[in-house]
Amino acid sequence: MKSGESADLLLGIDVGTYSSKGVLTDLSGTVLRSKMIPHGVSLPRPGFVEQDADNIWWRDVVQIIQALIEGEDAARIAGVSLSAIGPCLLALDEHGVPLRPGILYGVDTRAHAQTTALEDELGEATVFAHSRMAFTSQAIGPKIRWLRENEPEVWAKVRTLTTASSYLCYRLSGQWVINHHEASHFMPLYDPQTLTWSDRFAGAVLGDKDLSVLPRLGWSDELAGFVSFRAAVETGLREGTPVAVGAVDALSEALSVGVVNPGDLMIMYGSTTFFILVEAAPVPDPRVWTVNGAYDGQFNLAAGMATSGSLTRWFADELARDLPEEDAYDQLFAAADGVPPGANGVLLLPYFSGERTPINDPKARGVMAGLSLSTTRDDLFRATLEGVGYGIRHNIETFRNLGAQVERIVAVGGGAKTTTWLQIVTDICGVVQEVPALTIGASYGDAFLAGLAAGKLKREDLQTWVRPGRIIKPNTSNQAVYERNFELFKRMYTQTRDLVHQLS
């Protein structure tokens, strides 16, 4: 059963690292309702970052759907699409029940030994040629092997290996399907040349299991299935409502602000900073990730830092406990705005959870230099914001150094709401950043994907969904200090790396 002509509303839901958000829109992209639910992560050991698939991911989705459609005729919902943090690893038994908490994306660095072992066994060059990217903490293959080697009692019960967005699609539709973008990170089990799962290296990763443990593949805007009877009972949706394949959160966020043309770069200021650069053709490089886009035939050059918003959260929780919780961030950002560029001589490496691109160093850690007895908390917070800014510039320069074209930069995410931080990054990078009028986040892009999957929208309709907003231009008077400090930033990492590795 499919939605009829009267179905004129779309549901988009995104499960993020620290919160989940959903929107109800009409077919023109007007947001009618929104709902947000905060949640946390589990850090059982250094380098381990996990979340509960049912008590966080699915629970949030159910509560958000119920809140968004309350009082509405469920028959009006034309389609639903879900996105989530990723790529994550979730192991399930033969009944589709999670066997353990989900292992998160690149911020979880537990599989360093397995990464090294796979590189030695398969050959780094061979893996790169096959997967179009090198192993990093973002790769799922080493984490699968970690699970097999370290939790054999769990591994023996595994029937399905999937990721967060795919699991949520299953809970809603009963269909096991994963989008090609996230499947790219299940390296070396995915072949980007043929767009299929590959058994070429399956033995080294899966051991006694085969490719049947992986979901079928689909594009983010395709129809995955329809809301099942069970999900309809749990959520209040109408059984038979179309469900899109969905996406990783960053890809939906890029879509939500119109980052769909070659040369468009999205910078997502979230708990981590994530980059998606749209390309007409893949440009593989081991420092970043070459992956599929949301649509068939679209390519992305993706990158991600390990800490950004999570670092400002740490700062507020640990170094600003005296500030009222309701406006601690406002006070910190306001004070940082009064500190001159260069943070009065303080320089920070923001690698508090290791670092993903472009250094791909899970053993990296935060370093703060230049402290004196006159250093204030305001200086430290300004240095924190600038440290993230230098990391962003490092990624943008990496894109350009490998020949990728960056024509337009669009800023999104919670951090993009803060002009202070945006201006710091703009000045450090020497680039113009656009901030659309509507930056709701990935859930808005999900609503658009729901419309595509349900046949209610066409791709070109995105032009009317995205409305122009602010333009942040560089302040050239700050260029000299930031040019000098960026070079010091890179040198500080290389010169402290061995020492920090021993400490970590």
Side-chain angles (χ1 to χ4, degrees):
M1 179 170 60
K2 300 182 180 180
S3 293
E5 293 298 321
S6 62
D8 59 352
L9 301 178
L10 301 170
L11 270 176
I13 302 150
D14 173 64
V15 177
T17 306
Y18 288 106
S19 67
S20 300
K21 188 170 185 178
V23 295
L24 179 69
T25 77
D26 63 17
L27 298 180
S28 70
T30 300
V31 176
L32 306 176
R33 292 181 185 174
S34 65
K35 174 70 175 179
M36 191 271 286
I37 298 176
H39 57 241
V41 297
S42 174
L43 306 169
R45 288 173 52 186
F48 286 41
V49 189
E50 301 179 348
Q51 275 180 336
D52 189 291
D54 285 336
N55 293 322
I56 292 182
W57 298 347
W58 178 242
R59 178 207 65 187
D60 284 6
V61 167
V62 170
Q63 292 181 1
I64 286 173
I65 292 175
Q66 291 174 343
L68 292 179
I69 68 172
E70 184 179 6
E72 295 285 353
D73 178 0
R76 293 187 64 193
I77 307 301
V80 187
S81 184
L82 303 162
S83 66
I85 48 175
C88 300
L89 174 62
L90 184 66
L92 304 114
D93 68 13
E94 60 183 338
H95 305 294
V97 176
L99 292 164
R100 67 174 325 283
I103 298 172
L104 295 205
Y105 51 98
V107 295
D108 184 294
T109 58
R110 73 182 67 197
H112 180 68
Q114 287 72 29
T115 298
T116 300
L118 286 171
E119 288 174 339
D120 291 343
E121 293 169 19
L122 307 180
E124 291 183 59
T126 300
V127 170
F128 180 77
H130 174 77
S131 299
R132 291 181 178 163
M133 50 186 165
F135 279 127
T136 68
S137 62
Q138 195 84 341
I140 293 298
K143 292 178 182 180
I144 294 174
R145 180 154 164 170
W146 179 93
L147 180 65
R148 175 165 64 89
E149 293 177 349
N150 288 273
E151 297 183 359
E153 70 289 350
V154 171
W155 183 255
K157 300 176 183 178
V158 168
R159 181 60 190 89
T160 302
L161 295 169
T162 191
T163 195
S165 62
S166 177
Y167 178 65
L168 294 174
C169 181
Y170 162 74
R171 289 301 303 265
L172 203 56
S173 68
Q175 299 296 313
W176 286 117
V177 58
I178 186 172
N179 63 84
H180 281 278
H181 179 99
E182 286 184 271
S184 302
H185 287 289
F186 273 65
M187 56 179 298
L189 301 176
Y190 181 81
D191 186 340
Q193 284 81 20
T194 61
L195 303 177
T196 62
W197 296 121
S198 168
D199 61 4
R200 180 180 178 187
F201 305 116
V205 176
L206 297 172
D208 59 332
K209 301 187 186 298
D210 58 33
L211 296 177
S212 65
V213 298
L214 301 173
R216 67 180 173 89
L217 296 156
W219 295 99
S220 295
D221 62 337
E222 290 179 345
L223 182 69
F226 303 91
V227 171
S228 67
F229 172 78
R230 178 180 176 182
V233 171
E234 289 187 78
T235 64
L237 288 169
R238 185 176 64 89
E239 182 184 2
T241 302
V243 179
V245 170
V248 72
D249 55 357
L251 192 60
S252 287
E253 185 120 27
L255 191 69
S256 77
V257 290
V259 174
V260 292
N261 297 313
D264 287 351
L265 171 64
M266 179 204 69
I267 303 178
M268 184 178 76
Y269 294 80
S271 301
T272 68
T273 296
F274 203 86
F275 308 81
I276 288 185
L277 176 65
V278 182
E279 297 181 292
V283 184
D285 187 276
R287 291 168 292 181
V288 292
W289 310 313
T290 300
V291 290
N292 296 305
Y295 308 147
D296 188 6
Q298 188 184 74
F299 301 95
N300 293 151
L301 205 57
M305 297 168 61
T307 53
S308 296
S310 56
L311 185 52
T312 60
R313 178 171 178 160
W314 169 85
F315 193 102
D317 289 346
E318 301 299 333
L319 303 181
R321 295 179 182 177
D322 57 305
L323 298 180
E325 185 175 350
E326 61 273 12
D327 66 350
Y329 289 107
D330 290 341
Q331 291 193 41
L332 287 169
F333 277 101
D337 200 33
V339 176
N344 287 320
V346 180
L347 185 62
L348 175 132
L349 296 181
Y351 309 144
F352 281 47
S353 294
E355 186 55 298
R356 296 190 284 175
T357 61
I359 65 172
N360 296 309
D361 184 356
K363 291 186 177 181
R365 290 295 181 269
V367 176
M368 189 173 286
L371 302 178
S372 73
L373 293 177
S374 63
T375 299
T376 66
R377 180 170 67 186
D378 299 345
D379 296 336
L380 298 181
F381 193 66
R382 174 86 186 199
T384 299
L385 302 180
E386 291 181 348
V388 174
Y390 296 129
I392 290 172
R393 175 169 172 175
H394 203 179
N395 278 281
I396 292 175
E397 289 202 351
T398 300
F399 287 150
R400 288 177 167 152
N401 289 341
L402 58 89
Q405 298 298 312
V406 179
E407 306 291 347
R408 184 173 73 105
I409 297 177
V410 183
V412 299
K417 298 176 183 177
T418 308
T419 302
T420 297
W421 206 353
L422 281 182
Q423 191 64 58
I424 287 173
V425 173
T426 291
D427 291 350
I428 287 174
C429 299
V431 297
V432 173
Q433 294 190 84
E434 299 179 17
V435 185
L438 202 61
T439 56
I440 292 176
S443 58
Y444 191 62
D446 293 325
F448 187 77
L449 287 172
L452 293 178
K456 295 290 184 175
L457 297 175
K458 297 180 179 179
R459 292 178 186 175
E460 54 266 30
D461 291 329
L462 188 61
Q463 298 174 14
T464 61
W465 275 50
V466 180
R467 290 114 185 178
R470 293 178 290 154
I471 301 292
I472 311 297
K473 298 180 180 181
N475 183 343
T476 56
S477 64
N478 298 330
Q479 183 176 1
V481 64
Y482 284 140
E483 286 291 335
R484 184 201 66 174
N485 280 12
F486 179 59
E487 295 304 316
L488 294 177
F489 174 86
K490 292 185 290 184
R491 285 173 53 194
M492 188 160 77
Y493 166 68
T494 57
Q495 292 178 6
T496 63
R497 178 174 51 205
D498 292 343
L499 173 62
V500 168
H501 282 186
Q502 294 180 55
L503 291 172
S504 65

